[in-house]
Amino acid sequence: MNLLHWLFLLASLLVGGVALYLHLALPFLELPTPLGPWPLSLALLSAYALGLLLSGLYALALLIKAYGEKRGLLREIRRLREEVNALKRERIEEIPRIPDRDEA
């Protein structure tokens, strides 16, 4: 996980550095958008931020799904334990006692 954090930091710094370079070296590059022309550096940062947002929402959805599956599995384990305890109560087995030994 630590490696993943470092890779995320490196990718973010790389995107930020490229956007800064585009803004300083080539400020006249623009992309036409429905909101009007955007500088290429702003479009790059916006696309990166949108990707981060969508991946965060995807991770959140996976977390919620995993939590739901965990609850389902714990419910199943609880049901099985109750079933085993009910079977144990139905059939109480006596431990044979050997007459010449002490009960310990």
Side-chain angles (χ1 to χ4, degrees):
M1 198 65 175
N2 202 7
L3 176 64
L4 186 64
H5 290 149
W6 281 107
L7 288 175
F8 173 69
L9 177 67
L10 182 65
S12 298
L13 289 175
L14 183 66
V15 168
V18 168
L20 183 64
Y21 172 75
L22 286 174
H23 180 69
L24 295 176
L26 307 166
F28 53 87
L29 289 178
E30 293 180 340
L31 289 176
T33 64
L35 303 174
W38 279 20
L40 186 61
S41 59
L42 182 61
L44 176 68
L45 289 176
S46 300
Y48 185 71
L50 181 64
L52 283 178
L53 177 69
L54 291 178
S55 63
L57 290 175
Y58 182 72
L60 183 63
L62 284 178
L63 182 68
I64 291 171
K65 181 181 175 185
Y67 182 70
E69 287 181 9
K70 176 187 168 188
R71 285 185 55 185
L73 289 174
L74 288 175
R75 193 172 331 149
E76 180 72 14
I77 289 172
R78 192 177 320 115
R79 186 189 65 79
L80 290 173
R81 282 186 181 160
E82 289 172 3
E83 187 177 326
V84 166
N85 287 336
L87 288 174
K88 283 181 182 178
R89 282 190 300 265
E90 283 179 14
R91 291 209 255 163
I92 299 175
E93 296 181 14
E94 293 185 19
I95 300 174
R97 185 178 170 282
I98 301 175
D100 60 340
R101 294 195 186 165
D102 294 330
E103 290 186 31

